[in-house]
Amino acid sequence: MPPRFRVPDDLAAHGLEFIPDGLVAAVGDEATVRFMNSRAEQITGLCAEEVIGRDLRHAMPLQDLAGDSWWELTDPWGGLRTRTGHRERLLVLPSGHEVLVTARYHRAERGGPVLAVVLGLRDAEGRRRAEAESAALLTSVAHELRSPLTGVKGFSSTLLRNWDRFTDDQKRLMLETIEADADRVTRLITELLDTSRIGAGRLTVHPQPVAPLPRLEAQVERCVATGTEREQFELAVEDGVEVVWADPDRLEQILTNLVDNALRHGRGRVRLEVRRSTWDGPSAVDVVVSDDGDGIAPQHRELVFSRFWQAGAKHGTGLGLYLVRGLVEAHGGEVVVEDAPSGGACLRATFPDGD
């Protein structure tokens, strides 16, 4: 006689109450439900007392998003005998409740009849949140792209239609604006690509010795060109710190995001400093950007490096500091939040020496 599917005993069933997913088990040709944990009750909104002992196909009449019966489409007991189950799918109960369902078929032998079907259930709310985050990101990216592209389109159209009516200085101003807006679009696209690479673990860097002071001065010039007062910045490079071992392009990305973050959350004063690091590891250099804002609360100092974290802000993509951490860690360093002497936030990025 082939072995029968064994319904969990009381001890095993008690252990299944502690797993985060819902479980439902049905046995025999009649698909009689023999087990349903409390998590499955929470996810489906069904009561175990009303489900256990009934035909699973009637007790849980799952449908796909087109309204077709999932049981008729899959037919676990009468379908192909080579199947071992089904991957996770989003299904709907008659109540309208959406559930992520994974099915596993139990057979006594390969190609034999199905002795039992075990359903793994997950609440679809997590996927909904992920979809909402993706939608929010798309909306944010579309907004961030539309602004510079509007400027590019407007100035280029104006120049094409009225080239002879503008002085050389006016033409230069328009072309410089177009170039700045194009750089902004390029930067956003680069950030999105780097976000994907960081998530996939495929981000690469090519460190080399970089003189820090010119990089800091270039950040100041960039901000001044967009309307920020030069007097708002303070630069400091510690004596003896001649180079930072970093990928030049990635270092520029890091500085740009740190400076923009400081300007966004501070009251106007930004300090950029490069100094010898005291971190517990190989000799290294700290690149520090401080502002004079309200600072970052201790409970938020890790969250600020999360994707899409905006701390209540309604602008930007929320990717800046996430990229900073990913880029710094790709260099073998670390980035942390500290209190600035001015009372604001101090973000310290540490780059190990290349020796």
Side-chain angles (χ1 to χ4, degrees):
M1 177 179 293
R4 299 179 59 82
F5 178 79
R6 184 168 176 269
V7 178
D9 55 28
D10 290 342
L11 181 61
H14 181 69
L16 293 176
E17 291 295 328
F18 293 95
I19 65 174
D21 294 340
L23 284 179
V24 179
V27 301
D29 293 337
E30 297 179 352
T32 305
V33 179
R34 293 292 180 85
F35 177 78
M36 183 178 190
N37 67 357
S38 58
R39 181 59 181 148
E41 292 183 279
Q42 297 171 4
I43 292 172
T44 62
L46 300 173
C47 178
E49 294 179 355
E50 299 174 357
V51 173
I52 294 177
R54 295 180 59 195
D55 186 317
L56 175 61
R57 295 162 291 195
H58 297 150
M60 296 181 60
L62 296 164
Q63 301 175 348
D64 63 16
L65 297 182
D68 298 321
S69 170
W70 187 67
W71 297 113
E72 293 180 5
L73 294 172
T74 57
D75 192 12
W77 284 269
L80 294 174
R81 293 199 171 193
T82 57
R83 291 184 301 180
T84 59
H86 285 275
R87 295 180 179 178
E88 186 176 80
R89 288 196 59 183
L90 180 64
L91 301 175
V92 184
L93 289 166
S95 63
H97 198 91
E98 296 181 343
V99 185
L100 295 168
V101 181
T102 305
R104 176 72 177 177
Y105 303 161
H106 176 73
R107 305 176 191 271
E109 58 185 4
R110 185 178 179 85
V114 172
L115 299 180
V117 172
V118 179
L119 299 184
L121 308 177
R122 296 172 57 198
D123 198 326
E125 184 59 30
R127 176 171 291 187
R128 290 298 185 197
R129 286 196 297 267
E131 290 175 350
E133 285 184 348
S134 296
L137 175 62
L138 288 174
T139 300
S140 178
V141 169
H143 176 75
E144 292 291 315
L145 285 172
R146 181 171 56 186
S147 179
L149 288 177
T150 299
V152 169
K153 175 64 176 176
F155 280 116
S156 59
S157 297
T158 301
L159 284 172
L160 286 172
R161 289 174 172 79
N162 303 283
W163 180 266
D164 295 332
R165 297 175 57 184
F166 294 111
T167 65
D168 289 344
D169 289 341
Q170 290 172 324
K171 292 174 183 176
R172 176 177 293 278
L173 176 61
M174 291 185 185
L175 290 172
E176 288 174 347
T177 304
I178 290 173
E179 182 183 35
D181 285 339
D183 288 342
R184 184 175 163 190
V185 172
T186 301
R187 177 186 163 198
L188 178 59
I189 293 173
T190 300
E191 288 184 348
L192 292 172
L193 292 173
D194 284 342
T195 298
S196 175
R197 294 187 184 107
I198 290 172
R202 294 187 291 105
L203 184 69
T204 59
V205 296
H206 304 284
Q208 57 185 273
V210 179
L213 185 58
R215 299 288 170 169
L216 302 186
E217 292 173 339
Q219 287 296 316
V220 174
E221 295 301 325
R222 176 184 67 85
C223 295
V224 170
T226 58
T228 307
E229 296 294 331
R230 192 181 302 273
E231 290 72 22
Q232 293 180 226
F233 296 94
E234 179 183 352
L235 307 184
V237 177
E238 184 180 338
D239 291 340
V241 179
E242 298 179 355
V243 298
V244 177
W245 276 88
D247 184 308
D249 293 336
R250 300 306 192 181
L251 179 59
E252 183 177 351
Q253 274 184 273
I254 292 167
L255 286 170
T256 297
N257 278 302
L258 290 178
V259 171
D260 287 351
N261 181 77
L263 289 171
R264 185 179 301 118
H265 298 288
R267 296 187 176 88
R269 300 289 300 176
V270 177
R271 177 179 172 84
L272 288 78
E273 181 181 4
V274 177
R275 65 194 184 205
R276 180 62 57 186
S277 178
T278 59
W279 80 321
D280 186 16
S283 59
V285 170
D286 287 340
V287 176
V288 184
V289 178
S290 307
D291 63 59
D292 58 351
D294 296 327
I296 299 174
Q299 65 270 24
H300 292 159
R301 291 186 178 182
E302 280 299 310
L303 290 175
V304 297
F305 297 108
S306 304
R307 282 194 302 177
F308 315 128
W309 176 263
Q310 294 178 301
K314 300 300 182 182
H315 55 276
T317 59
L319 296 174
L321 294 185
Y322 172 79
L323 286 168
V324 167
R325 168 162 283 184
L327 292 169
V328 173
E329 289 181 348
H331 286 81
E334 66 176 12
V335 58
V336 297
V337 178
E338 300 172 338
D339 291 322
S342 60
C346 170
L347 282 93
R348 174 172 57 83
T350 302
F351 294 85
D353 285 345
D355 297 336

